[in-house]
Amino acid sequence: MSYFSYKDVYVEDGKKVLEVNILPEKYCNFDCIFCPIGRSQNKIDTQMSFDKTDSSLIELESMIKNTKAELIFINSKGEALVNSKIGKIIDLIKSKGLIVRLLSNGYLLGRDEYREIANKCDEVVGEINVITEKDFQKAQRPIEGYTLEEYISNMISFNKQYKGKFIFDVHIIRGYNDNEESIHEIKNIIKKISPDKIIVSRMDDEIFKKKLGITDERFEEISNALLNI
Ligand code: SF4
């Protein structure tokens, strides 16, 4: 029995992409109020070993073979870096000559042991959702002692030494980072992180859309402002 789960393969820039979740349930160092996975009892930032990883790896291998995927996107139910076998998972994908993209919320990229793992990947996605310390604590409910300043500096230091493609996902949330002052601040953060690619996203989940979503017009304005720095 495997605990990995998959999304249907899709094509991006001409490449077949297979998204895989490598956590049996939500394990994250944050517990965001807008998390699509829901609330978590498992707020951790140290690695955990899960049962049935060997059978999960065999399944991944056959999924790769059957789907003929060219890019494997590790997009998990939380922070994928906390799976103690993540290095092995990345190595398996790389041994097939495929591209590996890893989604992380970005906080752990500042720690040596996690940085080393992320460095194996061809692409790493980090993200930002709020731009004040108060909102970070209130909306993202991180592990005690985490700060927004450290969050951003972790991504800056990671990308300074990273040789792959760093993708920065700016998630716009109504009332948290959608005003002009916030956009100005996000631009400064982007300049400091210096990502290879920027993605601007917004609340898509129906349950959060009404309260935290922004209009199409505002989304277009913000996207234009952030994608043309
Ligand atoms: S960082 Fe992502 S996975 Fe973790 S709690 Fe926040 S929204 Fe959920």
Side-chain angles (χ1 to χ4, degrees):
M1 272 291 285
S2 160
Y3 62 83
F4 289 3
S5 56
Y6 302 85
K7 286 194 184 157
D8 289 341
V9 171
Y10 55 89
V11 176
E12 183 190 296
D13 296 334
K15 286 192 186 65
K16 276 181 144 187
V17 181
L18 174 65
E19 282 194 35
V20 55
N21 152 54
I22 61 162
L23 295 171
E25 57 182 291
K26 181 175 166 184
Y27 286 88
C28 195
N29 48 349
F30 296 173
D31 188 17
C32 303
I33 56 168
F34 45 77
C35 182
I37 308 154
R39 291 297 306 269
S40 170
Q41 305 305 319
N42 310 311
K43 207 192 277 189
I44 57 165
D45 62 2
T46 49
Q47 287 194 319
M48 280 196 62
S49 170
F50 302 107
D51 287 345
K52 306 191 181 90
T53 299
D54 287 346
S55 48
S56 302
L57 281 165
I58 292 169
E59 183 193 70
L60 173 61
E61 210 168 350
S62 85
M63 282 297 287
I64 289 173
K65 199 171 163 212
N66 295 341
T67 59
K68 298 189 174 57
E70 296 160 285
L71 188 157
I72 310 301
F73 182 13
I74 302 173
N75 177 5
S76 292
K77 290 179 184 171
E79 177 51 79
L81 287 166
V82 302
N83 184 328
S84 64
K85 296 292 188 313
I86 186 162
K88 210 171 164 188
I89 297 165
I90 295 166
D91 290 345
L92 169 76
I93 303 165
K94 294 297 296 173
S95 74
K96 308 280 173 202
L98 306 178
I99 300 166
V100 184
R101 177 185 296 159
L102 170 70
L103 175 68
S104 164
N105 60 38
Y107 206 100
L108 298 178
L109 297 176
R111 297 194 188 166
D112 289 347
E113 65 275 29
Y114 293 120
R115 179 176 297 189
E116 232 169 82
I117 296 167
N119 279 342
K120 290 168 179 256
C121 301
D122 304 276
E123 302 179 4
V124 172
V125 186
E127 60 186 30
I128 194 156
N129 294 275
V130 298
I131 45 98
T132 69
E133 184 62 42
K134 194 168 154 242
D135 286 345
F136 179 53
Q137 300 299 335
K138 187 178 140 207
Q140 298 205 260
R141 301 184 293 201
I143 284 179
E144 217 184 317
Y146 278 27
T147 65
L148 181 65
E149 196 186 340
E150 189 178 36
Y151 186 10
I152 294 163
S153 77
N154 284 346
M155 286 189 275
I156 295 171
S157 66
F158 173 74
N159 200 28
K160 273 204 176 116
Q161 56 82 58
Y162 181 51
K163 306 270 187 294
K165 182 174 176 182
F166 189 69
I167 302 165
F168 190 48
D169 183 359
V170 181
H171 197 203
I172 302 298
I173 306 174
R174 186 161 84 200
Y176 285 93
N177 62 3
D178 62 332
N179 62 19
E180 284 313 308
E181 209 186 323
S182 303
I183 301 309
H184 181 74
E185 183 54 27
I186 293 170
K187 280 185 184 174
N188 288 335
I189 294 168
I190 289 173
K191 282 180 193 152
K192 285 184 202 156
I193 294 179
S194 189
D196 299 279
K197 182 178 173 183
I198 300 163
I199 297 171
V200 183
S201 56
R202 60 177 163 171
M203 278 298 159
D204 285 330
D205 278 275
E206 282 309 321
I207 41 167
F208 301 119
K209 223 171 170 174
K210 209 170 159 201
K211 206 170 162 217
L212 302 171
I214 57 169
T215 63
D216 292 346
E217 293 72 25
R218 186 64 185 138
F219 184 60
E220 204 182 320
E221 271 172 23
I222 294 174
S223 299
N224 285 336
L226 296 178
L227 296 174
N228 298 302
I229 305 177

